[in-house]
Amino acid sequence: MNESSPAVSLAQSSPTVGVFRERDGALEWSGRQETLLIEPWGPDSVRVRARLGGPVLHGLPGALDTERPPAPDAAVKIGNGTAVLVNGSVTAEVDAEGMIRFLDSATGGELLAEERAHFWWPGPRLYTATGNGYHRLEQRFAAHPGEKLYGLGQHQHGLLDQKGIVLDLVQRNAEVSIPVLVSSRGWTMLWNNPAVGRVELAENGTRWVADSARQIDYWITAGTPADGQRRYSAATGRSPMLPEWAAGFWQCKLRYRTQEELLEVAREYKRRGLPLAAIVCDFFHWTHLGEWRFDPAEWPDPAAMVRELSEMGTTLVVSVWPSVSPLSENHPTLEQRGWFIGTEYGPMAHADWPDKEVAEPVQVAFYDATNPEAREFVWSRIRENYLEPYGIKAFWLDACEPELKPGFAGNHRYHAGPGLEVANLYPRENARAFHEGLTAAGEETITLNRSAWAGSQRHGAALWSGDIGTDFATLRRQIAAGLNTALSGIPWWNTDIGGFHGGDPDDPAYREVMVRWFQFGAFSPLMRLHGFRDPAMPLGPDMTGGPNEVWSYGEEAGAILEEYVRLRERLRPYVLEQMRAAHTEGLPVMRPLFLDFPDDARAWDIADSYLFGPDVLVAPVLEAGARERAVYLPAGARWTDAWTGEEYAGGTEVTVAAPLERIPLFLRDGAELPLRAG
């Protein structure tokens, strides 16, 4: 039924009665100056929007397409004092007060339900005015004993199950806000709101908060976690197919300072017979920050460099920052045209940063990636300075949270809206500039990003876990970080192998960390060696960082690292097969055990091992000195030790040998992969 002839039902069961309407296949409730719109949004999925003071708004920033996707089996039924929208496996039930319950359509069991803060006031949705039609928004849901919750992007708290935490919804280095939640009760939910806020996953209820926004907006689907991944990725966009070269081994350190230094590293890999898929030209390779071009004093012939690397089978990846120095030739254009992030108070400068030709840091500004004209301008400079003259088409998008100092979103104004309402969008829109530019040029897309938001995957964004520590405790936290990232829709993920802040290649204790981390890296979606290795070096254009190549770690450790580079090369066809599944089905490469084994209750608690695709169970060694480890093997499959050939039944815990050169690996149901040389 269309909007011009709505079906209207006045519920009579309560003095605070609301009105139900069917609007073009959607269910609308209105009462007490609030409008609630519940729409089928793709198969087995529902989108909910709520606003105080008028009808819901369309076209606000978010992760869902503005056009509602088809849901041909959805139906709205309006009764006396209640109404339901049924869409496949999920049913949304609304009472006369506008309270929503989500049910499993097949069983009628409750999946998720709104909950009042108090029997009198407020209800489950609270709007506190912040001015000019904006509100501090709260959305409350009931909690359930024993429920487990996963996702929410990438964080360094080390928890896989995040029930019980309070989490800021804000972008920071190594803390990536992607507001997707996966429940053990059979639902997956997107908080479709890029506002700064928080989520509280307490024992007495769940509360989502947006500090200042115009309306509540979320999406929910019912089914297993794998069902949720398929539907969420369909709703927000699937990743493109990973370029084939990117499935191999990437080499970088803090910074290769000159063209010759970088080439000599690549040549040494070639001399050693080690496959090198990519090498990174990192920050300060530019003339000035925000000029996005090579400094000819240090990089005199980029064309020759790219040509020689290509002949060795190596792709050059170039670091691009979104910040612009006042010394940059691009600063006047960006400032005059209003293409920087604006400020409500103070100058249009967002951070201090060292630049070339000056003794002290300068005040830099960040371009506004939410402005399509600004994105187009930045891409034009990238195209003219990297892609067209040299064929460079792989980019490292650093500091893209963006890394503002201080990070007070209330003082920032974006093209897409006030900072408090839209700030979390920035990393996705920054990746979008490169994806749209590369796609228009007929090129494949991959960018390496330090931050992301819902939908970043559709723009070819890979995520890494940011500037992290260099010890076993940090390595252990990366397992949960990677798995929750995977459940947040980002299939392309990696860490700085060995961590970033420090690490002495001559220290035997750190060499052990590096070996164990490198083994984990070989079974990460992307495998990339990076790190500072000389943190005493002052920040500036002269910095290079310490040595960080596989031969930098001594004869014993170096030999092990070389073997895992070769192992990764043998695995590339399998990795690309899993990337194809991410592209076509939305299933991640790195998976918690319960994604494939949802009926095994214990699988929901395993936070120190994971599946790499469907066929390999990976159990990294996460403690210093450990030469064996216990591994839980999920029920519902038979498992073969990849190194010894010994078979085990699922649903058991086994302890296996883990000498320094070996990461415990198990193959599922007779799978055959070239893990061993020869």
Side-chain angles (χ1 to χ4, degrees):
M1 191 170 293
N2 61 37
E3 294 191 17
S4 62
S5 56
V8 181
S9 174
L10 297 181
Q12 301 297 325
S13 60
S14 168
T16 53
V17 68
V19 177
F20 293 111
R21 297 178 176 88
E22 180 183 355
R23 291 194 180 276
D24 192 24
L27 172 61
E28 182 185 86
W29 173 92
S30 59
R32 298 184 300 277
Q33 301 184 40
E34 182 187 25
T35 301
L36 175 69
L37 183 66
I38 305 174
E39 301 171 271
W41 205 269
D44 305 287
S45 307
V46 168
R47 182 182 185 181
V48 178
R49 283 178 279 184
R51 179 171 176 249
L52 190 67
V56 300
L57 302 173
H58 299 275
L60 294 184
L64 302 176
D65 292 335
T66 55
E67 294 295 323
R68 186 200 305 173
D73 298 327
V76 172
K77 300 176 183 178
I78 298 175
N80 183 23
T82 187
V84 297
L85 186 153
V86 181
N87 186 19
S89 62
V90 64
T91 294
E93 178 184 87
V94 188
D95 70 13
E97 297 286 330
M99 293 270 290
I100 311 173
R101 295 172 68 227
F102 298 98
L103 311 175
D104 182 312
S105 298
T107 67
E110 183 179 288
L111 300 169
L112 182 67
E114 291 187 321
E115 183 177 65
R116 297 179 183 278
H118 184 265
F119 69 84
W120 174 60
W121 183 90
R125 302 181 295 272
L126 176 62
Y127 307 82
T128 304
T130 58
N132 299 317
Y134 286 77
H135 294 84
R136 180 183 182 275
L137 305 174
E138 293 187 15
Q139 171 69 66
R140 293 174 181 267
F141 297 104
H144 296 87
E147 184 176 25
K148 302 176 187 300
L149 297 168
Y150 308 89
L152 294 178
Q154 172 193 273
H155 301 280
Q156 296 298 321
H157 49 50
L159 301 171
L160 181 58
D161 175 9
Q162 298 180 77
K163 180 67 173 178
I165 72 166
V166 174
L167 193 70
D168 289 339
L169 300 177
V170 65
Q171 310 291 16
R172 300 183 178 119
N173 187 341
E175 300 286 336
V176 178
S177 177
I178 306 174
V180 181
L181 205 56
V182 178
S183 168
S184 60
R185 289 177 58 83
W187 53 265
T188 296
M189 174 183 171
L190 164 69
W191 177 248
N192 187 39
N193 194 324
V196 172
R198 69 180 183 276
V199 60
E200 303 163 356
L201 307 177
E203 289 295 328
N204 64 333
T206 291
R207 176 164 59 176
W208 294 88
V209 178
D211 288 342
S212 182
R214 282 173 278 181
Q215 68 186 13
I216 290 168
D217 188 349
Y218 62 91
W219 171 96
I220 186 169
T221 190
T224 67
D227 292 334
Q229 291 301 298
R230 293 184 181 97
R231 294 171 192 150
Y232 168 76
S233 61
T236 61
R238 298 234 166 103
S239 62
M241 183 57 193
L242 185 78
E244 185 173 345
W245 63 265
F249 170 64
W250 299 34
Q251 169 65 49
C252 55
K253 67 170 191 173
L254 179 72
R255 178 192 176 205
Y256 294 116
R257 186 171 174 182
T258 68
Q259 176 175 323
E260 187 59 25
E261 181 186 0
L262 183 145
L263 282 171
E264 188 52 37
V265 168
R267 292 166 186 152
E268 182 62 21
Y269 273 97
K270 183 72 172 178
R271 285 192 286 267
R272 291 170 178 259
L274 293 173
L276 181 63
I279 191 166
V280 176
C281 175
D282 211 325
F283 65 169
F284 290 113
H285 74 269
W286 44 67
T287 45
H288 289 296
L289 181 67
E291 289 192 336
W292 303 303
R293 58 187 173 93
F294 289 105
D295 184 342
E298 296 165 346
W299 309 86
D301 193 350
M305 173 178 59
V306 171
R307 185 167 55 251
E308 182 176 348
L309 290 171
S310 180
E311 290 169 354
M312 292 188 283
T314 301
T315 294
L316 182 67
V317 182
V318 173
S319 175
V320 176
W321 288 50
S323 42
V324 182
S325 165
L327 302 176
S328 165
E329 64 188 9
N330 296 314
H331 193 283
T333 298
L334 286 158
E335 183 174 27
Q336 290 163 8
R337 298 185 183 181
W339 290 341
F340 284 133
I341 297 171
T343 55
E344 300 294 350
Y345 305 99
M348 198 173 298
H350 309 122
D352 58 323
W353 191 255
D355 202 356
K356 293 181 176 178
E357 300 179 5
V358 287
E360 299 296 331
V362 295
Q363 293 296 307
V364 306
F366 282 71
Y367 95 96
D368 185 353
T370 74
N371 186 325
E373 291 183 335
R375 292 197 301 268
E376 187 176 332
F377 174 78
V378 169
W379 173 250
S380 74
R381 309 309 298 145
I382 303 302
R383 184 185 67 243
E384 293 166 15
N385 292 328
Y386 296 118
L387 177 62
E388 290 177 346
Y390 312 124
I392 295 170
K393 50 195 174 185
F395 300 97
W396 177 318
L397 306 186
D398 212 336
C400 64
E401 295 82 13
E403 193 174 47
L404 310 177
K405 305 176 190 176
F408 179 52
N411 190 40
H412 302 138
R413 184 175 62 254
Y414 295 82
H415 176 81
L420 287 175
E421 185 187 28
V422 305
N424 287 324
L425 278 178
Y426 189 93
R428 190 193 70 187
E429 297 302 278
N430 187 50
R432 179 180 179 180
F434 289 75
H435 174 64
E436 291 179 345
L438 286 164
T439 300
E443 303 289 352
E444 296 178 301
T445 301
I446 181 172
T447 54
L448 184 60
N449 299 256
R450 204 170 70 184
S451 193
W453 196 68
S456 282
Q457 72 279 352
R458 73 175 180 241
H459 299 305
L463 180 66
W464 95 94
S465 61
D467 297 348
I468 54 177
T470 54
D471 55 12
F472 273 108
T474 303
L475 170 58
R476 194 156 44 245
R477 290 193 292 270
Q478 303 319 298
I479 310 300
L483 293 174
N484 279 315
T485 297
L487 292 172
S488 303
I490 308 290
W492 302 354
W493 180 84
N494 66 119
T495 67
D496 291 347
I497 292 177
F500 180 76
H501 290 295
D504 181 357
D506 295 326
D507 178 3
Y510 181 66
R511 288 179 176 179
E512 183 181 8
V513 173
M514 174 56 73
V515 167
R516 294 307 194 185
W517 206 316
F518 205 88
Q519 292 167 344
F520 165 58
F523 291 89
S524 295
L526 300 180
M527 182 186 187
R528 183 183 53 84
L529 179 60
H530 187 53
F532 202 155
R533 309 297 176 256
D534 188 3
M537 187 176 293
L539 179 67
D542 294 331
M543 68 194 314
T544 62
N548 192 48
E549 293 72 41
V550 296
W551 53 84
S552 306
Y553 292 90
E555 185 174 345
E556 179 187 16
I560 297 171
L561 304 189
E562 289 191 7
E563 283 307 305
Y564 279 86
V565 172
R566 295 187 176 98
L567 186 156
R568 177 69 179 205
E569 187 68 12
R570 295 194 297 274
L571 275 180
R572 280 177 70 171
Y574 178 75
V575 173
L576 288 167
E577 182 182 337
Q578 307 320 310
M579 293 299 180
R580 176 69 62 184
H583 171 57
T584 59
E585 301 177 53
L587 294 177
V589 180
M590 183 178 177
R591 308 175 179 183
L593 302 186
F594 63 77
L595 195 75
D596 283 51
F597 298 93
D599 296 329
D600 183 341
R602 189 170 174 189
W604 293 81
D605 295 324
I606 303 301
D608 62 354
S609 61
Y610 58 94
L611 291 170
F612 190 63
D615 296 329
V616 187
L617 191 154
V618 183
V621 178
L622 304 171
E623 297 179 5
R627 295 299 181 265
E628 65 176 24
R629 71 152 287 178
V631 184
Y632 178 71
L633 304 174
R638 288 197 61 81
W639 300 93
T640 303
D641 187 315
W643 305 115
T644 68
E646 187 169 354
E647 291 192 5
Y648 301 93
T652 59
E653 183 175 292
V654 299
T655 298
V656 296
L660 185 62
E661 70 276 9
R662 185 188 300 174
I663 180 174
L665 302 170
F666 296 84
L667 296 171
R668 176 180 176 180
D669 290 333
E672 295 184 4
L673 290 173
L675 298 176
R676 288 179 284 184

